[in-house]
C-alpha cells in the first residue's frame, strides 16, 4: 500500500510505513508501525529533526509557525514512546520525547503557555479539548494527554491535578464516561453507541488514568 493520491504529491509511491510529510500523520504511522514491528526509523529520524524550540511539534512549521501544536505533539509523543518500546530507545529519542511531554505539562495539558488561560477551542479544527472522543484520530484532548502520561510512566505532579479533576467531573452516576464528540473518519467496527451515550473506550481510559493518579497520590 502506498500514499498515491492520499497525501502530498511528493509522497506519492511512498510505501505506507515510509510515511509522508506532516508530523501529525507521520506520528500516527510510526506508532502503528512500531507496534506491529515495522521499520519506521526513517520517520522517527525525520520527527526528531522537526522538534521545535518549545519542545513540541507543529504540522504548520514549514509555513513558519514557531509554536507547537497540542494536536501534532501528542501524535509524535505516542509514536516515540511506541518506538522506544519496540527496541528503538536511544538517548536522543528519549530526550526528545521528554522535552515534548514537558511542553504538555508546562501548559497543564490545556492552558496557553503565554497567558495560562484555558484553551477553549482548537484553533485548527474548532474542537474542544475538554470533550472526550474515541477514536481521537489526530485530535488532542485532555484525556488523551493524560493517557499518554500514564502509559509513559510519568509520575503525576500538581500540573496534572486540574486535568484529573476534569476527568473525574465527567463520570456519571453509574461510574461511566460518555462519548462526548465524534470526529470524521471510518472505523472498521463500531465500538460505541453514539454521542452522549456511555463509551466503553472513554470509560476504560478514564479509569486507567484515575488509578494511575491515585496510586501515586496515595
Amino acid at each position: 500500500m502506498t500514499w498515491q493520491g492520499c497525501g502530498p504529491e511528493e509522497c506519492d509511491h511512498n510505501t505506507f510505513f515510509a510515511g509522508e510529510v506532516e508530523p501529525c500523520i507521520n506520528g500516527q504511522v510510526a506508532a502503528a508501525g512500531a507496534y506491529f514491528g515495522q521499520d519506521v526509523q526513517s520517520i522517527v529520524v525525520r520527527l526528531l529533526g522537526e522538534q521545535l524550540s518549545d519542545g513540541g511539534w507543529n504540522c504548520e512549521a514549514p509555513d513558519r509557525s514557531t509554536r507547537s501544536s497540542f494536536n501534532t505533539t501528542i501524535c509524535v509523543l505516542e509514536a516515540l514512546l511506541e518506538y522506544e518500546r519496540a527496541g528503538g530507545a536511544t538517548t536522543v529519542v528519549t530526550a526528545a520525547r521528554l522535552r515534548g511531554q514537558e511542553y504538555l505539562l508546562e501548559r497543564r495539558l490545556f492552558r496557553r503557555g503565554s497567558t495560562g488561560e484555558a484553551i477553549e477551542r482548537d484553533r485548527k479544527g474548532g474542537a474542544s479539548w475538554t470533550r472526550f472522543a474515541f477514536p481521537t484520530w489526530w485530535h488532542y484532548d485532555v484525556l488523551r494527554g493524560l493517557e499518554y502520561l500514564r502509559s509513559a510512566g510519568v509520575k503525576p505532579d500538581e500540573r496534572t491535578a486540574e486535568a484529573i479533576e476534569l476527568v473525574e467531573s465527567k463520570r456519571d452516576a453509574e461510574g461511566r464516561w460518555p462519548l462526548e464528540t465524534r470526529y470524521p473518519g471510518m472505523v472498521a467496527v463500531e465500538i460505541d453507541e453514539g454521542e452522549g451515550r456511555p463509551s466503553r473506550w472513554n470509560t476504560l481510559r478514564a479509569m486507567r488514568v484515575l488509578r494511575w493518579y491515585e496510586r501515586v497520590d496515595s
Side-chain angles (χ1 to χ4, degrees):
M1 185 168 64
T2 72
W3 289 94
Q4 178 73 36
C6 58
E9 289 185 7
E10 62 264 38
C11 300
D12 280 356
H13 305 298
N14 277 11
T15 60
F16 181 75
F17 287 113
E20 47 125 294
V21 297
E22 293 186 296
C24 62
I25 301 297
N26 280 340
Q28 294 172 83
V29 172
Y35 182 85
F36 287 108
Q38 300 297 309
D39 181 6
V40 293
Q41 182 178 6
S42 63
I43 297 181
V44 170
V45 169
R46 177 175 185 136
L47 293 172
L48 294 178
E50 294 171 331
Q51 190 170 25
L52 297 176
S53 60
D54 61 10
W57 286 262
N58 192 332
C59 288
E60 297 179 3
D63 298 321
R64 301 188 183 281
S65 176
T66 59
R67 291 182 296 178
S68 294
S69 155
F70 279 70
N71 293 321
T72 305
T73 298
I74 194 64
C75 292
V76 177
L77 285 175
E78 291 169 350
L80 296 182
L81 180 60
E82 203 62 60
Y83 183 72
E84 289 178 83
R85 287 176 170 165
T90 66
T91 55
V92 174
V93 172
T94 301
R97 182 175 60 79
L98 294 179
R99 283 181 61 211
Q101 74 184 33
E102 278 299 307
Y103 170 85
L104 298 182
L105 286 166
E106 287 169 1
R107 291 155 179 78
R108 297 177 180 266
L109 283 81
F110 70 108
R111 292 189 172 275
R112 298 189 187 281
S114 56
T115 65
E117 70 175 310
I119 300 173
E120 297 293 338
R121 293 282 173 182
D122 169 35
R123 179 174 58 83
K124 184 173 182 179
S128 170
W129 293 347
T130 61
R131 293 174 61 81
F132 304 153
F134 196 88
T136 52
W137 307 112
W138 55 267
H139 301 274
Y140 175 84
D141 63 45
V142 171
L143 181 56
R144 185 177 181 181
L146 286 169
E147 177 72 345
Y148 160 77
L149 295 175
R150 179 204 66 81
S151 184
V154 177
K155 183 177 180 179
D157 58 31
E158 55 91 22
R159 295 176 294 179
T160 61
E162 190 176 12
I164 289 291
E165 289 176 4
L166 175 66
V167 173
E168 290 180 322
S169 73
K170 293 176 179 287
R171 178 163 35 191
D172 67 19
E174 297 181 353
R176 301 176 297 183
W177 279 259
L179 181 69
E180 295 186 289
T181 189
R182 299 185 70 167
Y183 299 119
M186 294 179 62
V187 293
V189 178
E190 195 60 59
I191 55 176
D192 275 317
E193 299 174 7
E195 287 185 51
R197 301 284 299 165
S199 163
R200 295 174 177 85
W201 281 99
N202 279 355
T203 297
L204 171 65
R205 293 156 66 223
M207 290 177 65
R208 289 194 302 204
V209 161
L210 293 181
R211 287 174 180 172
W212 159 75
Y213 187 79
E214 290 163 0
R215 280 199 300 269
V216 176
D217 195 46
S218 60

